[in-house]
Amino acid sequence: MQDTRTFDANDAASGPDLGNLPEWDLSDLYTGEDAPELQADIEWLEAECRAFADDYENKLSTLDAAGMLRAVQRYEAIEGKSGRVMSFAGLRYYQNTTDSARAKFFSDMQAKLTDISTPLVFYSLEFNRLEDDALATLLDASTELARYKPVFDRLRAMKPHQLSDELEKFLHDQSVVGAAAWNRLFDETMAGLTFDVDGESLPLEATLNLLTDHDRDRREAGAKALARVFTERLPLFARITNTLAKEKSIEDHWRKLPTPQAGRHLANHVEPEVVQALRDAVVAAYPDLSHRYYALKAKWLGLEKLEIWDRNAPLPTEDKKVVAWPEAKKIVLDAYGDFAPKMAEIAEPFFEKGWIDAPVKAGKAPGAFAHPTVTDVHPYVMLNYLGKQRDVMTLAHELGHGVHQVLAAGQGELLSSTPLTLAETASVFGEMLTFQKLLAATTEPAQRKALLASKVEDMINTVVRQIAFYDFECRVHAARAEGELTPDQINAIWMEISHESLGPVFNFMDGYETFWTYIPHFIHSPFYVYAYAFGDGLVNALYAVYAEGTPGFQDKYFEMLRAGGSKHHKELLAPFGLDASDPKFWDKGIALISSMISELEAMEA
């Protein structure tokens, strides 16, 4: 952390309270920027991309099944090599986004690989010009080629929205100074922000962390510090949002995509009506979920109205104990191992081999993620671990992603990536396993109440909050289509959504209208956020099947994770007797959250 009082990151991250927090060892990718293997891979990519274009451009329609299989496998090898390069550059950058040398290296690699891969643009365009019958004949002739059918299906879903070869190449080349450049501006701006809290200068992650502090004055000070800085930077964030939304609108128009969300749905391989059913079910449940819970929370805190800085406040009865890293590791691995020893075995190397970067450090990207890198290496998990119970749950969440990515790696580079509709399944399931283990071990009523309330809040943040974010994006993109939005107009949309989703028990302080500015998903991956709600609802239903003692559940679960992106969500959920396309499916997950709130209400009686 950085601070006017030379606040050392180690004070919060590696001190005696937390233990020795692990940091990444990226040498499994490359040993450094000057590694000869890195230079050799770039040279290989340059030569192979040119050779691929020479061998196949304007010739895909002439290939037999064996020839098409070789082409696909060569393309997959290129994807793997470029993925390795960009994973290394990106992970180093996110460790310290304010390091100009790392930022330059990341940007240079993006530009270089964009240039190198330009000859490949023809591939998807030409592939989509193959006749359906001709492709079906090729797939019938080769079981090895047919294995890639899910990749082809996703590729050909964009066929109606494909532009001319020349335009596609232009968009490819232009991307590094388009969305990617605005994304980088956002990241570097966020990483460089400091917030004055009672004379102490804190970065974003540490300031956001104050919103869960036991001391209400500290929560208020943190919220007001965030509001001051976000308001100061509001014109920049509005400019970034306007530009990216307009750029997306232009490209969507050219591609004849019917809605701003359509591209995300196609990429996720999910039907728009399934997402709409999820959204409608959650919005209809706002009064029963968030409105009801936050009214209950106000009562617990002895308040008639909650201020926005009370939303994630811990309960007065919540254990203030700091969870040291060794204990966090044991909690999560024990929960995983109780479900299936194999799950803990897969997770163990993350702790032992430098696959987790846990400390809070100056310049480090905020939040947490699990990055799969490439299938012949392993995932890396990033945390900003501060020893709170929520941090333990975040560890369980991101480690779930990591386990999923390890299992799916066997599918290979093109088939391992899971569509967003199921990408959150293993992570949320890992959280649920950890929560249930902690709950089972809690016998003291006040602690059980605090633990249950914490889980309800996490579920509200995952389901209600993310659908509210999705609605915010939908409204912003729709409004942007009518013309440029002023900061006040974007703020107004945020406040409409906040009132609808959080309910009447809240007061909203001056400045809260700017809190949309720091949410990276709006910038990096428009409309991604519904995947969290999708995953939570799906896992709630999945966990109910597990809790019923369904025979062979663990084996089916591992098979689902191993499938990666090789199957549609209908196919993956069928062995569990679940179907996400059934509108009533989402009611099961909502009912679980509602039942937990009812249990909390009963504790008051």
Side-chain angles (χ1 to χ4, degrees):
M1 296 181 182
Q2 48 200 14
D3 175 18
T4 52
R5 297 188 298 105
T6 59
F7 183 84
D8 188 343
N10 292 327
D11 293 343
S14 302
D17 288 341
L18 297 181
N20 187 25
L21 297 182
E23 298 186 54
W24 281 334
D25 174 3
L26 299 180
S27 61
D28 287 343
L29 293 166
Y30 300 103
T31 55
E33 290 182 17
D34 57 353
E37 296 84 358
L38 174 58
Q39 186 57 40
D41 283 350
I42 291 171
E43 290 172 3
W44 181 90
L45 282 166
E46 286 178 316
E48 180 61 7
C49 288
R50 286 195 301 268
F52 187 89
D54 290 342
D55 291 344
Y56 296 116
E57 191 163 11
N58 299 318
K59 300 169 191 171
L60 284 187
S61 62
T62 69
L63 298 178
D64 60 11
M68 184 63 77
L69 178 62
R70 280 194 298 274
V72 172
Q73 289 173 336
R74 284 179 65 181
Y75 186 85
E76 186 168 36
I78 291 170
E79 288 281 294
K81 201 75 78 177
S82 59
R84 181 187 281 258
V85 173
M86 287 315 302
S87 291
F88 176 71
L91 291 173
R92 286 186 78 255
Y93 171 67
Y94 286 118
Q95 278 185 303
N96 189 353
T97 59
T98 55
D99 181 333
S100 59
R102 294 185 187 218
K104 173 178 165 49
F105 179 71
F106 181 48
S107 179
D108 287 348
M109 288 299 102
Q110 278 185 317
K112 184 178 282 290
L113 263 65
T114 299
D115 291 342
I116 288 172
S117 60
T118 295
L120 302 181
V121 173
F122 83 90
Y123 175 71
S124 61
L125 307 177
E126 200 170 315
F127 192 93
N128 277 346
R129 287 198 287 268
L130 295 175
E131 296 295 334
D132 290 343
D133 290 346
L135 179 57
T137 300
L138 293 177
L139 298 180
D140 288 342
S142 169
T143 54
E144 283 187 88
L145 184 63
R147 194 176 77 83
Y148 290 95
K149 186 177 183 298
V151 178
F152 303 152
D153 288 344
R154 287 194 283 273
L155 190 61
R156 289 170 81 80
M158 284 300 292
K159 186 176 180 179
H161 312 293
Q162 193 166 285
L163 303 177
S164 70
D165 291 14
E166 189 176 32
L167 270 176
E168 292 287 359
K169 287 179 180 177
F170 167 76
L171 289 174
H172 175 86
D173 289 348
Q174 184 263 352
S175 64
V176 292
V177 292
W182 289 98
N183 274 265
R184 180 178 164 188
L185 174 62
F186 174 85
D187 288 341
E188 292 178 359
T189 301
M190 276 296 166
L193 294 181
T194 57
F195 302 83
D196 186 326
V197 182
D198 298 330
E200 183 179 11
S201 182
L202 298 175
L204 176 62
E205 191 71 26
T207 312
L208 289 170
N209 189 56
L210 291 176
L211 300 183
T212 61
D213 201 281
H214 281 270
D215 185 335
R216 193 172 189 229
D217 289 340
R218 288 288 282 170
R219 294 199 304 271
E220 179 180 357
K224 289 184 174 178
L226 290 166
R228 280 194 301 272
V229 175
F230 293 159
T231 300
E232 288 168 7
R233 296 301 185 98
L234 184 59
L236 173 62
F237 292 125
R239 168 61 50 227
I240 293 171
T241 299
N242 268 292
T243 303
L244 287 172
K246 184 61 177 177
E247 182 186 58
K248 187 179 190 311
S249 172
I250 292 168
E251 186 170 334
D252 286 352
H253 171 74
W254 278 83
R255 293 193 184 281
K256 297 182 170 56
L257 287 162
T259 67
Q261 306 92 305
R264 176 64 63 193
H265 300 334
L266 284 169
N268 289 349
H269 206 44
V270 65
E271 301 76 13
E273 58 270 21
V274 172
V275 179
Q276 190 64 37
L278 164 64
R279 180 264 171 202
D280 291 347
V282 173
V283 170
Y286 283 170
D288 186 47
L289 300 182
S290 47
H291 297 188
R292 183 162 64 118
Y293 174 76
Y294 288 129
L296 192 58
K297 185 166 188 174
K299 182 180 176 183
W300 293 334
L301 295 177
L303 302 168
E304 286 189 19
K305 300 278 279 187
L306 292 177
E307 298 295 339
I308 200 61
W309 55 80
D310 298 317
R311 188 172 67 82
N312 287 319
L315 297 191
T317 56
E318 185 176 306
D319 191 350
K320 296 181 183 180
K321 172 189 169 187
V322 171
V323 183
W325 182 253
E327 185 182 353
K329 172 185 172 181
K330 185 178 188 310
I331 289 168
V332 175
L333 287 181
D334 285 354
Y336 278 23
D338 287 351
F339 171 73
K342 181 177 183 179
M343 194 165 172
E345 287 170 18
I346 296 169
E348 180 78 31
F350 282 82
F351 294 93
E352 305 303 327
K353 296 187 176 181
W355 300 1
I356 299 176
D357 197 284
V360 175
K361 293 175 283 191
K364 184 176 176 180
F369 63 74
H371 180 56
T373 70
V374 286
T375 56
D376 60 352
V377 185
H378 54 76
Y380 283 92
V381 165
M382 193 195 83
L383 306 171
N384 278 276
Y385 190 81
L386 291 166
K388 295 195 173 188
Q389 184 175 288
R390 274 195 173 93
D391 295 329
V392 179
M393 289 299 179
T394 300
L395 171 61
H397 180 102
E398 300 304 340
L399 208 55
H401 278 306
V403 168
H404 194 173
Q405 291 157 359
V406 168
L407 286 167
Q411 294 290 342
E413 211 59 51
L414 295 180
L415 283 163
S416 61
S417 181
T418 308
L420 288 186
T421 46
L422 290 170
E424 297 298 327
T425 304
S427 54
V428 179
F429 196 84
E431 271 191 89
M432 181 64 86
L433 291 172
T434 305
F435 164 72
Q436 292 292 352
K437 183 169 181 63
L438 289 172
L439 191 66
T442 304
T443 55
E444 206 276 316
Q447 286 304 311
R448 181 180 175 84
K449 175 181 171 181
L451 190 61
L452 195 61
S454 177
K455 182 59 178 173
V456 168
E457 290 198 12
D458 286 343
M459 295 169 97
I460 287 175
N461 283 334
T462 305
V463 178
V464 169
R465 195 83 170 132
Q466 301 304 324
I467 289 300
F469 287 172
Y470 177 68
D471 268 5
F472 171 76
E473 289 188 277
C474 291
R475 293 186 200 180
V476 165
H477 282 261
R480 182 65 180 92
E482 303 299 317
E484 179 157 327
L485 300 174
T486 66
D488 286 345
Q489 287 175 306
I490 305 174
N491 290 350
I493 295 171
W494 177 256
M495 291 310 299
E496 287 170 14
I497 295 292
S498 298
H499 282 288
E500 291 168 13
S501 60
L502 297 178
V505 77
F506 278 97
N507 283 324
F508 294 97
M509 68 172 185
D510 288 343
Y512 181 69
E513 66 276 7
T514 66
F515 272 46
W516 59 270
T517 58
Y518 79 92
I519 297 167
H521 296 82
F522 299 159
I523 305 302
H524 292 301
S525 44
F527 306 106
Y528 179 105
V529 287
Y530 73 73
Y532 292 111
F534 197 109
D536 199 273
L538 189 155
V539 167
N540 289 342
L542 198 62
Y543 191 84
V545 175
Y546 167 60
E548 289 164 6
T550 304
F553 181 92
Q554 282 86 340
D555 290 339
K556 293 176 184 176
Y557 180 75
F558 284 124
E559 280 305 304
M560 178 177 70
L561 300 191
R562 279 193 199 95
S566 67
K567 294 180 180 178
H568 188 267
H569 63 78
K570 265 182 172 294
E571 233 183 316
L572 290 169
L573 294 176
F576 304 97
L578 301 172
D579 181 3
S581 64
D582 179 357
K584 294 181 180 177
F585 171 84
W586 303 111
D587 294 336
K588 297 176 185 176
I590 289 168
L592 177 64
I593 305 172
S594 180
S595 70
M596 288 183 172
I597 298 172
S598 295
E599 184 179 345
L600 287 167
E601 286 177 331
M603 291 178 179
E604 299 297 299

